Amino acid sequence: MKKIIILISGNGSNLQAIIDSCKSGNIDGEIVSVISNKENAYGIQRAMKAGITTKIISDDSFNSREEFDKALFSSLMEIEADLIVLAGFMKILSKKTADHFYGKIINIHPSLLPKHKGLNTHEKAINSGDKYGGCTVHHVNDRMDDGEIIAQQKVIITSDDTADTLKQKVLELEHKLYPKVIRGLLS
Ligand code: GRF
């Protein structure tokens, strides 16, 4: 069985979609660990409910960014995972981590990259008058929302869309696209 690690910082709705896909056999893999840099991330509850091992590597427990990076790197090294999935993990990886695992770490971003990196992607898309919003799955390097693109899915932005409605539409796409890409990469 292929081993998957998932890194989160928040709600974990993408995590949930991946949990469900593993359970249904759609993804031929097992989530062996969910790691969060936020103690109160709701995704941790989701993982625990699914009986998955969780680990908190909290930003607040380290004196420096370097120490956090070291702790994360060694946690990732402990498990020889086939795939490391960032699902709403709100931190840029250190160069050492990104280089070591390049090709094995993926991220999902709620825009049609290379457009609208960073936060508030839906506002940015609407304010730029874009016809389409969407999401991108890409390999992860040590730069924000960068790395080779693996897959994209787009959705029409209608005149009555707000950042919130667009976010919901895009999240629905994410929940289909991310499991599909993971399934493909592991098979
Ligand atoms: C998603 O929109 C994802 O694209 C972005 O962060 C959000 C995470 O949502 N990277 P969730 O925690 O999976 O619900």
Side-chain angles (χ1 to χ4, degrees):
M1 188 78 96
K2 298 279 173 68
K3 291 190 208 165
I4 307 166
I5 300 177
I6 304 196
L7 268 57
I8 59 164
S9 300
N11 180 32
S13 68
N14 278 286
L15 164 67
Q16 188 66 57
I18 301 163
I19 291 174
D20 295 345
S21 283
C22 288
K23 254 196 199 148
S24 71
N26 186 33
I27 292 175
D28 187 18
E30 185 191 359
I31 305 168
V32 291
S33 180
V34 170
I35 301 174
S36 173
N37 67 321
K38 298 285 175 202
E39 208 162 342
N40 56 1
Y42 183 62
I44 288 293
Q45 307 295 322
R46 296 180 190 267
M48 280 162 55
K49 202 169 161 208
I52 299 166
T53 304
T54 60
K55 186 167 198 172
I56 308 288
I57 304 180
S58 168
D59 303 322
D60 309 328
S61 356
F62 300 95
N63 291 323
S64 67
R65 175 71 216 234
E66 286 68 31
E67 283 177 37
F68 171 88
D69 289 337
K70 255 191 194 169
L72 180 61
F73 183 78
S74 47
S75 292
L76 296 177
M77 287 295 283
E78 269 168 30
I79 305 167
E80 285 179 21
D82 297 283
L83 194 62
I84 299 167
V85 174
L86 310 194
F89 184 65
M90 303 301 284
K91 251 183 140 73
I92 295 167
L93 296 179
S94 69
K95 183 160 169 44
K96 180 178 173 183
T97 302
D99 286 353
H100 185 87
F101 295 103
Y102 192 81
K104 279 192 173 184
I105 313 186
I106 58 172
N107 181 42
I108 191 159
H109 181 72
S111 80
L112 297 170
L113 290 172
K115 272 188 161 181
H116 314 314
K117 295 182 178 183
L119 297 174
N120 306 318
T121 53
H122 307 300
E123 266 119 323
K124 287 176 187 165
I126 289 172
N127 293 341
S128 313
D130 293 357
K131 283 197 174 131
Y132 295 97
C135 54
T136 304
V137 179
H138 63 94
H139 287 290
V140 172
N141 60 24
D142 65 335
R143 291 183 297 275
M144 185 181 62
D145 304 325
D146 205 72
E148 194 191 332
I149 290 174
I150 302 168
Q152 277 184 328
Q153 192 93 55
K154 62 183 181 180
V155 64
I156 292 176
I157 299 177
T158 53
S159 55
D160 57 349
D161 264 327
T162 62
D164 268 351
T165 60
L166 184 57
K167 179 181 171 184
Q168 286 315 314
K169 283 189 195 173
V170 172
L171 269 176
E172 271 176 44
L173 295 183
E174 292 184 36
H175 299 160
K176 291 196 187 103
L177 181 66
Y178 219 4
K180 195 170 141 193
V181 168
I182 292 167
R183 176 198 166 100
L185 289 173
L186 290 179
S187 64

